[in-house]
Amino acid sequence: MRQLTFISPGNLEWREVPAPRLEADTDALVKPLVVARCDLDLYIAAGVVNYPGPFAFGHETIARVVEAGSRSGVSPGDVVVVPFQLSCGRCNACLRGWTNSCESYPFGAAYGLKPTSGTEFGGALSDLMRVPFADHMLVPLPAGVDPIAAASVSDNIADGWRAVGPQLEARPGASVLVVGGLAQSVGLYAAGAAVSLGAGRVLYLDDHPERRARAEAMGAQAEPLALAEGRQPEAQFEIVVEAAGDADALGFAMKSCAANGSLTSVSIHLGATTPVPLTRAYYKGLTFQTGRVQSRPTFPLALACMACGDFHPERVTHRVLPFAQAAEAMTDPGPKVVFTCNEIA
């Protein structure tokens, strides 16, 4: 079968590799229908994040089941969301909702990201993927939800959702600030999710005009961040999301967080160390969270909101292209590219 393979920054190629097969009665084989480019994919392809190749590429996907084990819980023809992280749903970590550190797999196990775990699990930009523990992993795409709109739901959409969803459940109508930047689509999804969940004021700050326009299309107020001009917080927000990946932006986010507020950093800070103004955070009593999203327990919540028509992540997508153009388009600097197979192109 064909598989898009990352070789080195700016160098991805389609290769012929052995097709996967069912290895257990809980396995399923799926054919990717749409694949979204994760924010991290862009930075790997551009060489900003140094991941050594070669490895299979792509991990945000909606797929169709083509073969199913007798205890897989799915049937051929089902259209499903495939979590990007591999998890069994049975171990102590999974039962506690920590599917990003399933005890059945090496830490960091994921499709399309071999360097995170040291193990190749295949990628979404391929003809077929093997999904183990399919009875746990795979989630049906709700009727009426466009696969192209939901293409990023297993990772970047879920990542934005987890930064505001639980927080707004605890504080209905709370004010939300999103500091945008490096994790560009994640920050936008967080802003859109906050609007859809009935937050009070939702302010999106970013020096990139196209991303500000997309935040406004999702119902948020948008302004330049302009930290270089010494900007100081104009208000205190109960819920703050830092998606900039920048130390100054993280400091600004902490300063902008109200007393007893919550701050979630959804961006990878790439420096060896990052200064954090903990004294201010201490006196404010902030709850600060960082780390990878728990994909499997999180994305069904975003899917449900999409099915109800309240959440519109498609407004973040700036290009929809066929699979054949994936290698060339992977370094497109825009916030979200979605690739489609011939079945729904």
Side-chain angles (χ1 to χ4, degrees), residues 31-49:
K31 173 183 174 57
L33 300 176
V34 295
V35 177
R37 186 197 64 189
C38 170
D39 293 347
L40 179 58
D41 288 341
L42 166 61
Y43 301 122
I44 295 171
V48 176
V49 175

Side-chain angles (χ1 to χ4, degrees), residues 202-216:
V202 180
L203 176 61
Y204 176 86
L205 299 180
D206 195 325
D207 290 330
H208 194 285
E210 180 187 350
R211 292 197 293 262
R212 291 200 304 271
R214 293 187 180 278
E216 289 176 338

Side-chain angles (χ1 to χ4, degrees), residues 47-343:
V48 176
V49 175
N50 184 23
Y51 275 15
F55 58 90
F57 214 62
H59 60 270
E60 297 187 335
T61 186
I62 309 293
R64 188 185 308 279
V65 177
V66 297
E67 191 174 349
S70 60
R71 295 197 300 133
S72 65
V74 294
S75 301
D78 291 349
V79 176
V80 293
V81 180
V82 184
F84 81 100
Q85 298 160 336
L86 285 94
S87 60
C88 69
R90 295 150 168 83
C91 69
N92 288 332
C94 286
L95 292 174
R96 299 181 72 173
W98 298 338
T99 56
N100 71 7
S101 52
C102 172
E103 296 166 11
S104 297
Y105 291 98
F107 184 78
Y111 293 111
L113 292 167
K114 177 185 175 182
T116 65
S117 68
T119 305
E120 178 64 85
F121 294 102
L125 283 160
S126 60
D127 293 335
L128 289 173
M129 301 168 68
R130 182 178 76 88
V131 181
F133 302 108
D135 57 328
H136 154 72
M137 287 267 286
L138 298 179
V139 174
L141 185 71
V145 174
D146 181 359
I148 294 175
S152 193
V153 75
S154 76
D155 186 1
N156 287 171
I157 293 174
D159 207 358
W161 183 276
R162 59 97 180 209
V164 296
Q167 296 84 347
L168 282 167
E169 184 176 6
R171 297 186 181 199
S175 57
V176 176
L177 170 68
V178 178
V179 183
L182 187 72
Q184 50 182 341
S185 77
V186 179
L188 289 168
Y189 293 139
V195 171
S196 72
L197 291 169
R201 184 187 184 195
V202 180
L203 176 61
Y204 176 86
L205 299 180
D206 195 325
D207 290 330
H208 194 285
E210 180 187 350
R211 292 197 293 262
R212 291 200 304 271
R214 293 187 180 278
E216 289 176 338
M218 300 185 83
Q221 177 188 354
E223 298 176 5
L225 178 55
L227 288 181
E229 300 174 7
R231 176 173 184 157
Q232 296 298 313
E234 61 189 57
Q236 298 289 285
F237 292 80
E238 297 164 271
I239 299 168
V240 179
V241 182
E242 185 271 314
D246 174 82
D248 290 338
L250 178 59
F252 177 84
M254 283 196 166
K255 293 175 184 177
S256 300
C257 200
N260 304 304
S262 70
L263 168 61
T264 303
S265 177
V266 297
S267 182
I268 302 173
H269 284 254
L270 299 173
T273 60
T274 300
V276 179
L278 285 180
T279 302
R280 182 181 295 266
Y282 173 86
Y283 282 110
K284 284 187 174 183
L286 305 189
T287 298
F288 177 47
Q289 180 177 359
T290 186
R292 301 180 307 152
V293 65
Q294 310 282 354
S295 172
R296 177 58 184 83
T298 303
F299 73 75
L301 304 173
L303 273 180
C305 198
M306 292 178 65
C308 291
D310 295 329
F311 182 34
H312 297 279
E314 69 274 9
R315 294 173 185 170
V316 176
T317 301
H318 75 285
R319 295 182 78 186
V320 179
L321 299 170
F323 276 13
Q325 296 183 33
E328 294 75 22
M330 201 58 69
T331 53
D332 181 316
K336 184 61 64 175
V337 188
V338 174
F339 305 105
T340 68
C341 75
N342 293 334
E343 290 187 31

